[in-house]
Amino acid sequence: MSLFSDKSIICLCCRERKQEHNISVSYDNIGICKNCFEKFDFVPHDSPFDGIGDVSCIFSIFYYNDILKSLIYRFKFNCEWKIGNLLSKIIYENIKDIAYLHNFDFITPIPLSRQRIFQRGFNQSEIIAKEISSLLDIPFVLCVYRHKNTVAQSLLKRHDRIHNISNAFIGDKEKIAGKNIIIFDDIFTTGATINSCAKELKEKGANTIIGLSVATTKPFVK
């Protein structure tokens, strides 16, 4: 006889099998147990960050820390697809009651270059954005493309990121003009990437643009 019921769930963080009552959030047969979930550092979901450049404001769910870094790394580089589904569910649960978001015409992901897609096989931001689109019942539209294969932003110092990502995107004016758009990216740090993308959207006629991300870096407090 098994020690676990058919409803037991594997925690993605500690990798232990848990019963449902010990799980904080789940997707299919995977989830995050209550003990591990306490290690996540949530951003107050009703307090978006001020925007940068052409981005009006930015909603992030978590502050970036080691436990989240591990999950995102496994999703992006180990192809653990269900992590994307689980992160999408967590994001949805934290933004579903923000009425303001339902005034937007569609959600679009920060695109990867063709070379990066070829290397990785997928765009992690596209997968999560598409799932959030379905959960929120807001259309998902691919409207901006990356025509420059940039160096990974995480490898650069703050002042080099703006130059690296400058003029990296091309938008489809027919899809963009007159639209209110949510740009999704997995991690928001300096804002260079999302602002460069938003600049292109604005030049192609977009109205209001906001950002949405899984995580952001925690502000430095003196």
Short mmCIF file of all heavy atoms in Angstrom, two decimals, residues 1-38:
data_model
loop_
_atom_site.label_atom_id
_atom_site.label_comp_id
_atom_site.label_asym_id
_atom_site.label_seq_id
_atom_site.Cartn_x
_atom_site.Cartn_y
_atom_site.Cartn_z
N MET A 1 0.85 -1.20 0.00
CA MET A 1 0.00 0.00 0.00
C MET A 1 0.88 1.25 0.00
O MET A 1 1.83 1.35 0.77
CB MET A 1 -0.92 0.00 1.23
CG MET A 1 -1.84 1.21 1.30
SD MET A 1 -2.95 1.12 2.74
CE MET A 1 -3.81 2.67 2.55
N SER A 2 0.57 2.21 -0.86
CA SER A 2 1.38 3.42 -0.95
C SER A 2 1.17 4.31 0.26
O SER A 2 0.09 4.38 0.83
CB SER A 2 0.99 4.20 -2.23
OG SER A 2 1.65 5.42 -2.25
N LEU A 3 2.26 4.97 0.67
CA LEU A 3 2.16 5.92 1.77
C LEU A 3 1.46 7.21 1.34
O LEU A 3 1.03 8.00 2.18
CB LEU A 3 3.57 6.28 2.28
CG LEU A 3 4.35 5.14 2.94
CD1 LEU A 3 5.76 5.63 3.24
CD2 LEU A 3 3.67 4.69 4.22
N PHE A 4 1.34 7.39 0.02
CA PHE A 4 0.75 8.62 -0.49
C PHE A 4 -0.51 8.31 -1.28
O PHE A 4 -0.60 7.30 -1.96
CB PHE A 4 1.74 9.36 -1.39
CG PHE A 4 3.02 9.74 -0.69
CD1 PHE A 4 4.17 8.99 -0.84
CD2 PHE A 4 3.05 10.86 0.12
CE1 PHE A 4 5.34 9.35 -0.19
CE2 PHE A 4 4.21 11.23 0.77
CZ PHE A 4 5.36 10.47 0.62
N SER A 5 -1.48 9.26 -1.21
CA SER A 5 -2.69 9.11 -2.00
C SER A 5 -2.39 9.51 -3.44
O SER A 5 -1.32 10.03 -3.75
CB SER A 5 -3.79 10.03 -1.45
OG SER A 5 -3.49 11.39 -1.74
N ASP A 6 -3.36 9.28 -4.33
CA ASP A 6 -3.18 9.64 -5.73
C ASP A 6 -3.09 11.15 -5.91
O ASP A 6 -2.70 11.63 -6.96
CB ASP A 6 -4.35 9.10 -6.56
CG ASP A 6 -4.32 7.58 -6.65
OD1 ASP A 6 -3.24 7.02 -6.46
OD2 ASP A 6 -5.38 6.99 -6.91
N LYS A 7 -3.46 11.91 -4.88
CA LYS A 7 -3.46 13.36 -4.98
C LYS A 7 -2.17 13.99 -4.43
O LYS A 7 -2.10 15.19 -4.25
CB LYS A 7 -4.67 13.94 -4.26
CG LYS A 7 -6.01 13.58 -4.91
CD LYS A 7 -7.18 14.25 -4.20
CE LYS A 7 -8.49 13.93 -4.89
NZ LYS A 7 -9.64 14.58 -4.20
N SER A 8 -1.18 13.16 -4.16
CA SER A 8 0.08 13.72 -3.67
C SER A 8 0.77 14.50 -4.79
O SER A 8 0.60 14.21 -5.98
CB SER A 8 1.00 12.62 -3.14
OG SER A 8 1.34 11.73 -4.17
N ILE A 9 1.54 15.51 -4.40
CA ILE A 9 2.15 16.44 -5.34
C ILE A 9 3.63 16.60 -5.03
O ILE A 9 4.02 16.65 -3.86
CB ILE A 9 1.43 17.81 -5.26
CG1 ILE A 9 -0.01 17.68 -5.76
CG2 ILE A 9 2.17 18.88 -6.07
CD1 ILE A 9 -0.88 18.88 -5.47
N ILE A 10 4.46 16.68 -6.06
CA ILE A 10 5.90 16.87 -5.87
C ILE A 10 6.20 18.36 -5.82
O ILE A 10 5.85 19.11 -6.73
CB ILE A 10 6.68 16.21 -7.02
CG1 ILE A 10 6.43 14.70 -7.05
CG2 ILE A 10 8.18 16.49 -6.87
CD1 ILE A 10 7.03 14.00 -8.23
N CYS A 11 6.85 18.78 -4.76
CA CYS A 11 7.26 20.18 -4.64
C CYS A 11 8.45 20.43 -5.56
O CYS A 11 9.46 19.71 -5.51
CB CYS A 11 7.62 20.52 -3.20
SG CYS A 11 8.28 22.21 -3.00
N LEU A 12 8.35 21.44 -6.39
CA LEU A 12 9.42 21.77 -7.34
C LEU A 12 10.69 22.26 -6.66
O LEU A 12 11.76 22.17 -7.23
CB LEU A 12 8.93 22.85 -8.30
CG LEU A 12 8.00 22.41 -9.41
CD1 LEU A 12 7.44 23.63 -10.13
CD2 LEU A 12 8.73 21.52 -10.40
N CYS A 13 10.55 22.79 -5.45
CA CYS A 13 11.69 23.40 -4.79
C CYS A 13 12.47 22.41 -3.93
O CYS A 13 13.67 22.22 -4.15
CB CYS A 13 11.21 24.59 -3.94
SG CYS A 13 10.40 25.86 -4.93
N CYS A 14 11.80 21.75 -2.99
CA CYS A 14 12.50 20.78 -2.14
C CYS A 14 12.49 19.38 -2.75
O CYS A 14 13.17 18.48 -2.27
CB CYS A 14 11.89 20.76 -0.74
SG CYS A 14 10.18 20.19 -0.66
N ARG A 15 11.66 19.18 -3.81
CA ARG A 15 11.54 17.92 -4.56
C ARG A 15 10.99 16.78 -3.71
O ARG A 15 11.20 15.61 -4.03
CB ARG A 15 12.90 17.54 -5.18
CG ARG A 15 13.48 18.63 -6.09
CD ARG A 15 14.84 18.24 -6.61
NE ARG A 15 15.50 19.33 -7.29
CZ ARG A 15 15.50 19.52 -8.61
NH1 ARG A 15 14.86 18.70 -9.39
NH2 ARG A 15 16.15 20.54 -9.14
N GLU A 16 10.30 17.13 -2.65
CA GLU A 16 9.66 16.11 -1.82
C GLU A 16 8.20 15.96 -2.22
O GLU A 16 7.56 16.91 -2.66
CB GLU A 16 9.76 16.50 -0.34
CG GLU A 16 11.17 16.49 0.21
CD GLU A 16 11.21 16.82 1.70
OE1 GLU A 16 10.14 16.99 2.32
OE2 GLU A 16 12.33 16.94 2.24
N ARG A 17 7.69 14.74 -2.04
CA ARG A 17 6.29 14.48 -2.35
C ARG A 17 5.43 14.86 -1.15
O ARG A 17 5.70 14.44 -0.02
CB ARG A 17 6.09 13.00 -2.70
CG ARG A 17 4.70 12.68 -3.22
CD ARG A 17 4.61 11.24 -3.68
NE ARG A 17 5.37 11.01 -4.91
CZ ARG A 17 4.89 11.23 -6.12
NH1 ARG A 17 3.67 11.72 -6.27
NH2 ARG A 17 5.62 10.98 -7.18
N LYS A 18 4.40 15.67 -1.38
CA LYS A 18 3.57 16.20 -0.31
C LYS A 18 2.10 15.92 -0.59
O LYS A 18 1.69 15.78 -1.73
CB LYS A 18 3.76 17.71 -0.18
CG LYS A 18 5.22 18.17 -0.02
CD LYS A 18 5.68 18.08 1.41
CE LYS A 18 7.07 18.70 1.57
NZ LYS A 18 7.51 18.78 2.97
N GLN A 19 1.33 15.88 0.48
CA GLN A 19 -0.12 15.80 0.35
C GLN A 19 -0.67 17.19 0.02
O GLN A 19 -0.03 18.22 0.29
CB GLN A 19 -0.74 15.27 1.64
CG GLN A 19 -0.43 13.80 1.92
CD GLN A 19 -0.96 12.87 0.85
OE1 GLN A 19 -2.16 12.78 0.64
NE2 GLN A 19 -0.06 12.20 0.15
N GLU A 20 -1.87 17.23 -0.54
CA GLU A 20 -2.44 18.50 -1.02
C GLU A 20 -2.51 19.56 0.07
O GLU A 20 -2.29 20.75 -0.21
CB GLU A 20 -3.85 18.26 -1.58
CG GLU A 20 -3.85 17.75 -3.01
CD GLU A 20 -5.25 17.73 -3.59
OE1 GLU A 20 -6.19 17.35 -2.86
OE2 GLU A 20 -5.40 18.09 -4.78
N HIS A 21 -2.80 19.17 1.30
CA HIS A 21 -2.96 20.17 2.35
C HIS A 21 -1.62 20.83 2.73
O HIS A 21 -1.60 21.83 3.45
CB HIS A 21 -3.63 19.55 3.59
CG HIS A 21 -2.82 18.47 4.25
ND1 HIS A 21 -2.92 17.14 3.88
CD2 HIS A 21 -1.91 18.53 5.26
CE1 HIS A 21 -2.09 16.43 4.63
NE2 HIS A 21 -1.47 17.25 5.48
N ASN A 22 -0.52 20.26 2.26
CA ASN A 22 0.80 20.86 2.52
C ASN A 22 1.34 21.64 1.32
O ASN A 22 2.50 22.04 1.31
CB ASN A 22 1.80 19.76 2.88
CG ASN A 22 1.57 19.20 4.28
OD1 ASN A 22 1.23 19.96 5.19
ND2 ASN A 22 1.72 17.89 4.43
N ILE A 23 0.48 21.84 0.32
CA ILE A 23 0.88 22.52 -0.91
C ILE A 23 0.22 23.90 -0.99
O ILE A 23 -0.99 24.03 -0.76
CB ILE A 23 0.49 21.69 -2.14
CG1 ILE A 23 1.28 20.38 -2.17
CG2 ILE A 23 0.70 22.48 -3.42
CD1 ILE A 23 2.76 20.54 -2.46
N SER A 24 1.00 24.93 -1.30
CA SER A 24 0.45 26.29 -1.42
C SER A 24 -0.13 26.55 -2.81
O SER A 24 -1.17 27.20 -2.95
CB SER A 24 1.53 27.34 -1.13
OG SER A 24 1.82 27.41 0.24
N VAL A 25 0.54 26.05 -3.84
CA VAL A 25 0.06 26.24 -5.20
C VAL A 25 0.49 25.05 -6.03
O VAL A 25 1.56 24.47 -5.81
CB VAL A 25 0.61 27.56 -5.80
CG1 VAL A 25 2.14 27.54 -5.85
CG2 VAL A 25 0.03 27.85 -7.18
N SER A 26 -0.36 24.63 -6.95
CA SER A 26 -0.03 23.45 -7.74
C SER A 26 -0.52 23.59 -9.17
O SER A 26 -1.43 24.37 -9.47
CB SER A 26 -0.63 22.19 -7.12
OG SER A 26 -2.05 22.24 -7.15
N TYR A 27 0.11 22.80 -10.05
CA TYR A 27 -0.33 22.66 -11.42
C TYR A 27 -0.11 21.20 -11.79
O TYR A 27 1.01 20.71 -11.74
CB TYR A 27 0.44 23.58 -12.37
CG TYR A 27 0.09 23.36 -13.82
CD1 TYR A 27 -1.01 23.99 -14.38
CD2 TYR A 27 0.82 22.48 -14.61
CE1 TYR A 27 -1.35 23.78 -15.71
CE2 TYR A 27 0.49 22.26 -15.94
CZ TYR A 27 -0.60 22.90 -16.48
OH TYR A 27 -0.96 22.67 -17.78
N ASP A 28 -1.21 20.51 -12.14
CA ASP A 28 -1.13 19.10 -12.46
C ASP A 28 -0.55 18.36 -11.24
O ASP A 28 -1.09 18.45 -10.15
CB ASP A 28 -0.29 18.89 -13.72
CG ASP A 28 -0.53 17.55 -14.39
OD1 ASP A 28 -1.39 16.79 -13.90
OD2 ASP A 28 0.13 17.26 -15.39
N ASN A 29 0.57 17.65 -11.41
CA ASN A 29 1.12 16.86 -10.30
C ASN A 29 2.35 17.50 -9.66
O ASN A 29 3.09 16.86 -8.93
CB ASN A 29 1.48 15.46 -10.79
CG ASN A 29 2.59 15.46 -11.83
OD1 ASN A 29 2.81 16.48 -12.48
ND2 ASN A 29 3.25 14.33 -11.99
N ILE A 30 2.57 18.79 -9.97
CA ILE A 30 3.71 19.49 -9.37
C ILE A 30 3.19 20.74 -8.65
O ILE A 30 2.08 21.21 -8.90
CB ILE A 30 4.79 19.87 -10.40
CG1 ILE A 30 4.20 20.69 -11.54
CG2 ILE A 30 5.45 18.62 -10.96
CD1 ILE A 30 4.37 22.16 -11.41
N GLY A 31 4.01 21.26 -7.74
CA GLY A 31 3.58 22.45 -7.01
C GLY A 31 4.71 22.99 -6.15
O GLY A 31 5.88 22.64 -6.32
N ILE A 32 4.35 23.84 -5.21
CA ILE A 32 5.29 24.39 -4.23
C ILE A 32 4.68 24.20 -2.86
O ILE A 32 3.55 24.64 -2.61
CB ILE A 32 5.58 25.88 -4.50
CG1 ILE A 32 6.16 26.06 -5.90
CG2 ILE A 32 6.56 26.43 -3.45
CD1 ILE A 32 6.32 27.51 -6.32
N CYS A 33 5.42 23.53 -1.98
CA CYS A 33 4.88 23.25 -0.65
C CYS A 33 4.88 24.52 0.20
O CYS A 33 5.52 25.52 -0.13
CB CYS A 33 5.67 22.13 0.03
SG CYS A 33 7.32 22.62 0.61
N LYS A 34 4.14 24.48 1.30
CA LYS A 34 3.99 25.65 2.15
C LYS A 34 5.32 26.11 2.72
O LYS A 34 5.58 27.32 2.82
CB LYS A 34 3.00 25.34 3.27
CG LYS A 34 1.57 25.17 2.77
CD LYS A 34 0.60 24.87 3.90
CE LYS A 34 -0.83 24.74 3.37
NZ LYS A 34 -1.79 24.42 4.46
N ASN A 35 6.17 25.17 3.10
CA ASN A 35 7.47 25.56 3.66
C ASN A 35 8.32 26.31 2.64
O ASN A 35 8.95 27.32 2.95
CB ASN A 35 8.23 24.33 4.16
CG ASN A 35 7.63 23.75 5.43
OD1 ASN A 35 6.93 24.45 6.17
ND2 ASN A 35 7.89 22.48 5.68
N CYS A 36 8.35 25.81 1.42
CA CYS A 36 9.15 26.46 0.38
C CYS A 36 8.52 27.77 -0.07
O CYS A 36 9.23 28.74 -0.39
CB CYS A 36 9.33 25.52 -0.82
SG CYS A 36 10.40 24.10 -0.48
N PHE A 37 7.20 27.82 -0.08
CA PHE A 37 6.52 29.02 -0.55
C PHE A 37 6.81 30.22 0.36
O PHE A 37 6.79 31.36 -0.08
CB PHE A 37 5.01 28.76 -0.61
CG PHE A 37 4.30 29.61 -1.64
CD1 PHE A 37 4.67 29.58 -2.97
CD2 PHE A 37 3.24 30.44 -1.27
CE1 PHE A 37 4.01 30.34 -3.92
CE2 PHE A 37 2.58 31.21 -2.21
CZ PHE A 37 2.97 31.16 -3.54
N GLU A 38 7.09 29.94 1.62
CA GLU A 38 7.42 31.02 2.55
C GLU A 38 8.76 31.69 2.21
O GLU A 38 9.04 32.80 2.67
CB GLU A 38 7.48 30.48 3.98
CG GLU A 38 6.11 30.08 4.54
CD GLU A 38 6.20 29.53 5.95
OE1 GLU A 38 7.33 29.36 6.45
OE2 GLU A 38 5.14 29.26 6.54
#
